């Protein structure tokens, strides 16, 4: 019997005169194309939603890579390098890719972005006292959980001449602004969606 839907949802063309009442497409190929289009729309929506949780100061720069087992990768599955800009991509391309386990941002000296990486700073969902003391001494800024769920990344505008690893008892953190890529995790709720300026970053870090 003729169905109630008379036009293909993909192309708008007429359906066969005789068709099932639940038929939506004029051909199987158009059904497949429509399914692909819906998938693309869903993936684009996910990218937009993810981008809303990361500062534009980062997503606007073509410094993005994928990663697997902490190794930076291109969207096509080849290895990426922090020294080779041709192996990086824009945020939308990287976020839409299914290669590897997630996304990362490459730090380069010219960008003036510093990341303070606090290792093993979170336990049982709470920031440990030594880590909280460091956070409290720094300007409020975009902060995220590391992929492990136990580390914290604090992102700033600034620069340090050389990356540093500092360990004093239970305190352990790293500071980088060049020649490194950072795996980007989940934003800590309530933290700014922007990067604070860290004047004299090297001096301030040394005083912590």
């Amino acid at each position: 019997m003729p169905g109630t839907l008379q036009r293909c949802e993909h192309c708008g063309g007429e359906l066969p005169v005789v068709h099932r009442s639940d038929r939506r497409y004029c051909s199987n190929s158009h059904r497949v194309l429509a399914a692909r289009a819906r998938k693309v729309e869903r993936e684009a929506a996910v990218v937009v939603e993810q981008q809303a949780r990361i500062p534009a100061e980062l997503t606007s720069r073509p410094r993005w890579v994928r990663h697997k087992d902490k190794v930076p990768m291109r969207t096509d599955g080849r290895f990426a390098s922090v020294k080779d800009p041709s192996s990086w991509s824009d945020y939308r391309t990287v976020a839409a890719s299914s290669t590897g386990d997630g996304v990362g941002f490459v730090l380069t000296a010219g960008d003036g972005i510093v990341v303070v990486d606090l290792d093993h700073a979170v336990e049982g969902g709470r920031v440990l006292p030594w880590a909280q003391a460091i956070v409290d001494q720094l300007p409020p800024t975009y902060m995220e959980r590391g992929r492990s769920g136990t580390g914290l990344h604090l992102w700033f505008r600034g620069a340090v001449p050389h990356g540093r690893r500092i360990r004093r008892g239970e305190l352990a953190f790293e500071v980088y602004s060049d020649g490194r890529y950072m795996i980007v995790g989940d934003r800590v709720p309530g933290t700014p969606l922007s990067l604070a300026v860290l004047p004299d970053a090297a001096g301030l870090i040394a005083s912590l």
Side-chain angles (χ1 to χ4, degrees), residues 39-140:
K39 181 181 178 182
V40 169
E41 289 178 0
R42 289 195 300 269
E43 290 175 345
V46 169
V47 170
V48 170
E49 193 273 334
Q50 290 175 333
Q51 190 168 4
R53 301 198 304 264
I54 302 174
E57 293 145 294
L58 301 180
T59 58
S60 63
R61 302 170 191 265
R63 306 284 188 269
W64 292 86
V65 294
R66 299 290 298 181
H67 69 83
K68 184 173 180 61
D69 300 327
K70 297 187 177 181
V71 176
M73 303 180 70
R74 307 174 193 229
T75 56
D76 62 7
R78 292 181 295 159
F79 292 122
S81 169
V82 296
K83 298 180 180 180
D84 180 8
S86 70
S87 66
W88 314 337
S89 299
D90 62 86
Y91 176 79
R92 281 182 171 269
T93 299
V94 166
S97 172
S98 59
T99 297
D101 303 319
V103 303
F105 183 88
V106 179
L107 297 171
T108 63
D111 283 345
I113 294 176
V114 175
V115 176
V116 178
D117 182 2
L118 305 181
D119 294 330
H120 309 296
V122 179
E123 189 174 284
R126 299 177 65 86
V127 179
L128 295 175
W130 70 264
Q132 189 62 57
I134 291 176
V135 172
D136 292 343
Q137 292 179 67
L138 298 172

Side-chain angles (χ1 to χ4, degrees), residues 4 10 16 18 20 28-29 41-42 82 92 118 120 137 142 156 166 176 179:
T4 57
H10 178 70
V18 178
R20 290 176 46 172
N28 187 58
S29 62
E41 289 178 0
R42 289 195 300 269
V82 296
R92 281 182 171 269
L118 305 181
H120 309 296
Q137 292 179 67
Y142 171 65
F156 298 95
I166 300 173
Y176 298 102

Side-chain angles (χ1 to χ4, degrees), residues 164-192:
R164 298 190 60 188
R165 295 183 180 182
I166 300 173
R167 295 187 183 277
R168 304 185 193 119
E170 65 175 347
L171 180 153
F173 67 93
E174 303 173 0
V175 185
Y176 298 102
S177 65
D178 182 36
R180 181 89 172 188
Y181 94 99
M182 302 298 298
I183 293 174
V184 176
D186 295 323
R187 176 189 175 198
V188 175
T191 59

